[in-house]
Amino acid sequence: MWRWLRLCHGRHVFAAVGLLLLSETAYSQTPTVEDAARAMKSAQRKRDISGALDTNAAIIPLDTLKRTDSVATEKLLVQDSTTTGKDDLDTVVVYSAKDSIVYDLREKRVRLNGAAKVTYQEFKLEAPTVSIFTPENLLNADASLDSMGYVILPAKFSDASGNYEAEKLAYNFKSRKGKIREVYTNIEQAYYRGDQIKRQETGELFINGGYYTTCNEDHWHYWFYCSQMKLVPNERVFARPVVLYIEGVPVFVLPYAFFPTQRSSGRASGIIMPNYGFDNTRGFTLARGGYYWAISDFTDLKFEGDFGTRGSWRLGSQFRYALNGEFRGRISGEFQRLFFNESGDPDYRINESWNMIVEHSQELTPYTRITANLNFSSLSTVGITSINPSNIFNLQATSTARLDQIIGDNEGSLSLGFIRNQSLETSDVSNNINFTFAKTRFFPFRSKKSDGTSLFDQFGIDPRLSIDAFLRDTDTTSSRDLNSQGGFSFNLQFRPGGTGFLVNLSQSINLNTAYRFTTAELDRSGVQLTAPISAGITVPALNLNLSSSLNFNYSVADRTIERFVDTAGSVVTLVRRSPESITTYGINLSAQTRLYGILFTGALGNLIGLKALRHTLIPNLSYNYNPDFTSEKNSYFASYVDQNGNTVRYNRFEGAFFGGVPGESQSLSLSLSNVFDAKIKTLDTTKAIDDPARTEKNIQFLLANISGGYNFAASEFNVQPISISASSNTLAPLFTLNGSAQFDYYGTDSAGTRINQSYQSLGGGLLRFISADLGFSMSLRGERGGGETVQNQDSLRQSEINAQANVQQRLIEQTNFGRNFGQNVDFEIPWDLSLNGSVRASQPNPFIPIELQAQINISGAVSITKNWKLSMNTGYNFTNAQFIVPNVRISRDFHCWSMSFQWVPIGQFKSYFFQLNLKAPELQDIRIEKASRPAGGSAAIF
């Protein structure tokens, strides 16, 4: 069967004739005589137009009268799928050329010259020269080269797997396979090159002499060279062997490696590259190596472990899951075996430990949520490379679980919680189960039609209940505690008619119970009822608040004690198991007001923008009283005569729950709070034109407080110490200042012991200085420069990074070296400076000179150039005349990789740490490190 080929150019349509078969087996019908005649006539017309046409090729020149950017376009037409054979193309191949299209009728070839374009389904090609061999469905494309053999215009093609540039390309339309030489491609912001490439129909690329990098510069700053590479689009790259080059210098070699190609998602299955190092206990080590499996968008699985040449090892795994914010969690576990010293040594030992974590968080309904964090560990040492590294700092395994239920439309809440603490140093285990119920205030006498203004409408009740169960177990003891707290409050608020006063009355009733069981002889229990009553009056016209409260306590203890001296002169204590009650009460009165003083600055408002100053004085006077319940008339205390004839009084409820008996207390306390504000000119264009806040604002620039008191019931030292404090946050966070001081009315003897005599009567001043503290902090930084925004990775990976970063920061703080310190440098901040200091003066003994302690801490960083940054952290203790762990860091940004060097020159943590790391998120774990650790020894970690 003959097929027609048409070349459309401008307004002219040229019909190509010939015996051009798309495929040797494409058609089931034999060409007829009529078909051959039509082909002969078409060829004659082409010969007349072109001027000369040999028997092997048809050359179609462009219309020279048309624009130079016009393009010849042609389609290879295929039969309907119902009539085509199994080797036929399943759609149209569209091609065009800017210079010429040459048809070789004998060889059934089409040659496209000049800006050739070919499109077949998702396959698209642009190249200087393209040849199409239709019987075999083959395509060849060539780049344009200069006289030195360098590529001027590459062959560019794209398909479902990505975009590519190549020097030569051979592609089969039917099998979708191809061979490529000197290819270049960009997939998910990663760049690949290869000497020779074979493309499979699945889109996989097999590359000989491959290069991989994430550097987007024309001159790559680093790359991985792999003699053999397999690229699976949208998944990963397999390579062997792998040589890392940085600025053209080979750095290290790996026999095998994985590289993820899904940068945007941040999750891809692959090998977790281990760190190589040296440890005095484990010898040469490979740490944190393993495999990460991104099972789906909602789950992943990680296996990792450590291995040391001295036999120590660790294995761990972690499974995580998450679904659309409805629930998420993880299950992780690990086991490690550490060998200390050599076999046969007297101190040789083997340490085995394990750890298991189960976390789950789920929203069952919009009103119900459950969370659980269960942590179980063996009683052993936790390794620094543990899946749960927080145990390094907190030597206990803590498990928690909680169920929260909201009642109605936030009308109340129920919660059930569980906490388990297990010491990793001892066998102590404690469990706590807690149940709480709280109801928002409701008004039982308020009807739906009520306006809420009547006296009974204001009557509100808010009930609550809490139950706690404690179970404690050690090697030698076991105890069980059950505590409950329940109660409710009545509240009534009203304004007496015509007075303008606001009265607030409240009554609370609380019932507390406690029970502890250790042994049948030592179990205890008790009940306490408290009923505080309070009343408050607010007088708005006078800025006066008056309040009073009566605290009533009634307790029932399950035991009392009796003491006496036996014939041998020893004090004997008898426990009598019979319930007895204790009744105590106390009152509290307080008054508070506000006094204002305003100073208008007049002309200063126009000169410096300061319009007014305001001083607010807030005096607060309170009185507390409770009688002496330890007197003999209450029978809560008893006495015995010791062997020396002295009368000794004791609490009969000693050791019982709620058995405390207060003595007499009668004190008056006074505090004066001072608030200083300033009104300044400003211009806030975000405010409305008629809004006063548009042209002025108030700032609070100083807070100052002084407090003291007098205890009338005390037999000595009635005057309480006086405290003064002040703070200013006006320029926060640029600058903050705070200070405090303590003074005493009483003096001391020559030994510094406080005596019941005024300091003035001993020849001193009105008040004796005790101590004073002054602290300040200052923080300055330059404006951030422009830069690209780093996209966040998926929540699963990011949560792990954040958790690890917190632990690593604590490692840095304690040891001044860490795995990721080189990746946290912000080069876009030109400079920053932080300064904080403290000064403390104390004189507990006035006969000894004042003792001063002063310390200053300085941290700062400066970008020497765009890519170089110098950071320093240090401090100086003036009291001890020594520096506080000086720390110097130099960092260099090399666009797609960075280098950092940290040095602690002196002190306990004297060390250095060098790190070279790649900046791409998917290559974070590839680092070169060299460190001298404070604990001794050095390590090179890859």
Side-chain angles (χ1 to χ4, degrees), residues 5-158:
L5 302 180
R6 294 187 177 179
L7 177 60
C8 300
H9 179 62
R11 291 172 295 175
H12 302 277
V13 177
F14 301 98
V17 72
L19 306 175
L20 183 58
L21 299 177
L22 296 183
S23 175
E24 293 290 344
T25 60
Y27 312 106
S28 58
Q29 296 182 357
T30 304
T32 63
V33 176
E34 291 78 11
D35 293 331
R38 284 194 296 269
M40 294 283 291
K41 293 180 180 179
S42 177
Q44 182 63 41
R45 286 195 297 270
K46 286 180 176 288
R47 187 177 296 108
D48 295 340
I49 295 174
S50 61
L53 180 65
D54 60 27
T55 59
N56 295 325
I59 303 177
I60 311 299
L62 294 176
D63 188 345
T64 58
L65 297 179
K66 300 300 178 183
R67 296 189 305 268
T68 57
D69 61 348
S70 57
V71 177
T73 303
E74 185 70 27
K75 293 184 179 179
L76 291 179
L77 303 179
V78 298
Q79 281 189 328
D80 185 86
S81 58
T82 58
T83 59
T84 57
K86 64 179 180 178
D87 295 329
D88 291 344
L89 299 180
D90 53 6
T91 187
V92 176
V93 177
V94 180
Y95 58 87
S96 63
K98 191 171 183 180
D99 294 339
S100 64
I101 300 178
V102 180
Y103 297 89
D104 189 333
L105 302 180
R106 178 177 299 174
E107 298 294 335
K108 303 181 180 63
R109 294 180 182 274
V110 179
R111 182 178 177 85
L112 312 177
N113 299 309
K117 295 183 180 180
V118 179
T119 300
Y120 173 68
Q121 294 183 348
E122 75 277 4
F123 178 85
K124 296 180 180 180
L125 170 68
E126 295 182 12
T129 304
V130 176
S131 298
I132 302 176
F133 182 47
T134 56
E136 300 296 335
N137 300 314
L138 293 178
L139 176 148
N140 291 289
D142 295 286
S144 175
L145 308 177
D146 61 13
S147 59
M148 301 296 294
Y150 294 105
V151 175
I152 301 176
L153 295 175
K156 300 180 181 180
F157 67 98
S158 63

Side-chain angles (χ1 to χ4, degrees), residues 434-435 464-470 481-487 510-515 526-528 658:
N434 170 264
F435 169 79
R464 57 195 177 277
L465 174 65
S466 175
I467 301 176
D468 288 278
F470 297 90
D481 289 70
L482 181 63
N483 300 323
S484 67
Q485 297 177 350
N510 305 306
L511 180 64
N512 302 328
T513 64
Y515 171 77
V527 179
Q528 183 183 56
F658 313 116

